[in-house]
């Protein structure tokens, strides 16, 4: 039987590195992964949305799917309004401009901050929502990229530190001068919320791709797993492998998403190592994290990217609760044992299974 494939989020946006002014926001980062969906007999609906600086594709099967997709689209807009670090009406903006005063925020915002703070603690600060001043200094928020001098980086690092942030129920306090950004977790959290909306609407089969962060709801209508293609960090049209999942999030952090090449010829990527104030450079090209929780995947893909292969492997062995696919800068691929049987290498590389 001839199979028909529909590719979601297949748009690759080329990065323009030098032509943005200080005020201009950079173009959206490159989508990471794609989902191939074999078109079954069942009817489906698709929604394409641009939000949170990225292209999103939502696809749902079954009765009630249009209502569910409508609710999902409204929720994305609501979350974007709460979480944007640049929108002067967002709750994150309120927190960042409260001059150290305690701010009362929604359940959603406080939930994400609490989750990030605990992930920051567990990852020993590899994830740190307060690293934003450093991210901004390198130009990743505007596209006006530059390599700051060591004194500037040291001064800015003084203004970071997740342990100085407090959350109690819906109250958040960030010391004066510090700034938080939830960008490393917001899309993962959004995926979880969307999955909840589909389930509440009795949609047993849906898949969302939020700039390549994939959240699979249930399985495909024929009961088989969703197939998620993991992008080859070295080839924007290539894939490293295909991973088969049901009811799981698949989230990648990679050095090809948003980056610039310095005059020294080095690639500087948008994920900052909070211990150095420099873009993470621990030998990785991408880390994909797979688990039931979108927010966990999002936090951990960022943190594991910072930690590098050995640090990520150690963290996985000590904590568990997730799987990962690591692609190193020299093209080696490491896959944790829980997902290895569901991972098909397609790009000519071989995998080493982590146990
Ligand atoms: P992600 O694409 O999920 O890995 O998140 C990266 C985004 O989170 C960046 O664009 C920054 O805004 C922010 N960020 C960069 N480095 C870190 C870090 N170490 N911890 C938390 N957020 C970070
Ligand atoms: Mg992340």
């Amino acid at each position: 039987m001839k199979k028909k494939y529909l590719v979601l989020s297949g748009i690759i946006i080329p990065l323009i590195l030098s032509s943005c002014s200080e005020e201009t926001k950079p173009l959206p980062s490159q989508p990471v992964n794609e989902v191939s969906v074999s078109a079954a007999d069942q009817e489906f609906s698709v929604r394409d949305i641009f939000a949170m600086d990225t292209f999103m594709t939502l696809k749902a099967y079954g009765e009630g799917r249009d209502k569910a997709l409508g609710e999902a689209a409204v929720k994305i807009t609501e979350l974007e309004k709460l979480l944007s670090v640049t929108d002067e009406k967002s709750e994150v903006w309120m927190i960042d401009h409260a001059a150290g005063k305690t701010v009362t925020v929604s359940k959603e915002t406080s939930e994400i901050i609490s989750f990030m703070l605990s992930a920051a603690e567990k990852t020993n600060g590899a994830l740190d929502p307060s690293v934003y001043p450093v991210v901004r200094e390198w130009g990743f928020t505007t596209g006006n990229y530059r390599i700051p001098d060591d004194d500037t980086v040291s001064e800015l690092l003084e203004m970071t530190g997740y342990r100085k942030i407090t959350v109690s129920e819906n109250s958040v306090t960030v010391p004066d001068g510090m700034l938080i950004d939830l960008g490393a977790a917001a899309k993962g959290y959004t995926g979880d919320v969307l999955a909840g909306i589909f389930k509440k609407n009795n949609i047993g089969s849906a898949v969302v791709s939020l700039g390549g962060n994939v959240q699979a709801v249930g399985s495909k209508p024929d009961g088989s797993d969703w197939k998620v293609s993991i992008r080859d960090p070295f080839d924007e049209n290539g894939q490293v492998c295909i991973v088969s999942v049901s009811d799981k999030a698949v989230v990648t952090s990679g050095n090809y998403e948003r980056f610039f090449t310095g005059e020294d010829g080095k690639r500087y990527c948008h994920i900052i190592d909070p211990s150095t104030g420099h873009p993470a450079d621990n030998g990785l090209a991408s880390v994909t994290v797979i688990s039931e929780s979108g927010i966990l995947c999002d936090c951990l893909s960022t943190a594991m990217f910072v930690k590098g292969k050995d640090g990520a492997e150690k963290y996985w062995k000590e904590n568990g609760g997730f799987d990962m696919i690591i692609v190193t800068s020299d093209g080696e691929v490491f896959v944790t044992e829980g997902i290895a049987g569901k991972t098909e290498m397609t790009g000519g590389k071989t995998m080493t299974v982590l146990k």
Side-chain angles (χ1 to χ4, degrees):
M1 195 180 79
K2 197 170 165 237
K3 274 191 176 163
K4 214 169 123 194
Y5 286 93
L6 176 76
V7 175
L8 299 181
S9 87
I11 322 149
I12 305 291
I13 307 299
L15 286 176
I16 295 174
L17 300 178
S18 55
S19 61
C20 299
S21 69
E22 180 72 44
E23 293 74 33
T24 323
K25 288 178 83 180
L27 283 170
S29 52
Q30 295 202 30
V32 269
N33 305 320
E34 292 176 354
V35 189
S36 303
V37 182
S38 111
D41 293 334
Q42 290 220 21
E43 292 197 353
F44 59 83
S45 300
V46 179
R47 278 268 184 127
D48 289 316
I49 296 165
F50 185 80
M52 300 183 181
D53 266 346
T54 198
F55 291 99
M56 303 184 168
T57 304
L58 285 57
K59 173 167 182 149
Y61 288 81
E63 213 173 299
R65 63 187 182 274
D66 290 319
K67 176 174 169 280
L69 285 169
E71 280 180 33
V74 169
K75 194 70 201 179
I76 289 172
T77 311
E78 273 174 28
L79 288 175
E80 182 177 34
K81 282 195 182 136
L82 295 179
L83 306 176
S84 166
V85 71
T86 49
D87 179 348
E88 298 185 11
K89 295 193 190 96
S90 79
E91 289 189 341
V92 170
W93 180 279
M94 259 166 53
I95 295 167
D96 283 346
H97 295 80
K101 292 202 187 70
T102 299
V103 175
T104 304
V105 295
S106 61
K107 186 173 134 290
E108 283 97 336
T109 304
S110 59
E111 252 175 30
I112 301 176
I113 298 173
S114 294
F115 196 98
M116 286 184 93
L117 293 182
S118 88
E121 195 62 51
K122 281 196 192 133
T123 60
N124 201 19
L127 182 86
D128 189 338
S130 73
V131 82
Y132 185 69
V134 185
V135 174
R136 196 169 63 173
E137 186 62 30
W138 282 85
F140 289 110
T141 55
T142 58
N144 185 17
Y145 301 117
R146 59 186 164 250
I147 301 174
D149 60 52
D150 290 349
D151 287 348
T152 308
V153 170
S154 304
E155 272 166 36
L156 288 172
L157 283 178
E158 298 280 308
M159 307 310 292
T160 68
Y162 65 91
R163 286 193 172 141
K164 299 177 217 162
I165 301 167
T166 51
V167 187
S168 164
E169 303 212 337
N170 289 13
S171 301
V172 182
T173 318
V174 171
D176 192 14
M178 279 179 60
L179 300 170
I180 58 160
D181 162 36
L182 313 186
K187 280 188 277 167
Y189 178 84
T190 303
D192 289 332
V193 172
L194 300 187
I197 290 176
F198 288 122
K199 285 186 181 147
K200 190 192 80 194
N201 280 281
N202 294 318
I203 303 292
S205 200
V207 66
V208 303
S209 169
L210 312 176
N213 282 14
V214 174
Q215 187 96 24
V217 179
S219 49
K220 289 202 278 188
D222 64 3
S224 63
D225 284 332
W226 299 102
K227 308 273 184 221
V228 182
S229 146
I230 307 301
R231 214 199 97 161
D232 182 345
F234 309 102
D235 172 7
E236 67 180 46
N237 299 311
Q239 62 182 25
V240 172
C241 58
I242 293 174
V243 57
S244 300
V245 293
S246 291
D247 257 329
K248 282 201 162 64
V250 180
V251 177
T252 302
S253 289
N255 68 359
Y256 55 86
E257 290 178 82
R258 190 169 283 171
F259 66 91
F260 69 98
T261 307
E263 281 173 13
D264 52 5
K266 245 181 96 177
R267 176 185 286 219
Y268 294 95
C269 77
H270 73 308
I271 298 170
I272 298 290
D273 182 338
S275 69
T276 63
H278 283 247
D281 184 20
N282 282 322
L284 298 189
S286 73
V287 181
T288 299
V289 176
I290 300 149
S291 83
E292 280 78 22
S293 160
I295 189 169
L296 178 75
C297 288
D298 207 351
C299 288
L300 288 186
S301 63
T302 308
M304 296 304 112
F305 189 87
V306 169
K307 282 183 177 287
K309 190 246 162 195
D310 291 347
E313 184 179 355
K314 184 166 180 280
Y315 183 89
W316 171 72
K317 283 191 172 149
E318 285 172 4
N319 295 275
F322 67 98
D323 276 296
M324 69 188 163
I325 299 169
I326 294 174
V327 184
T328 66
S329 313
D330 37 17
E332 282 185 287
V333 182
F334 296 90
V335 182
T336 55
E337 59 185 346
I339 201 73
K342 297 256 183 190
T343 304
E344 185 194 343
M345 300 304 287
T346 49
K349 293 186 170 64
T350 47
M351 72 162 111
T352 303
V353 179
L354 298 178
K355 294 181 179 164

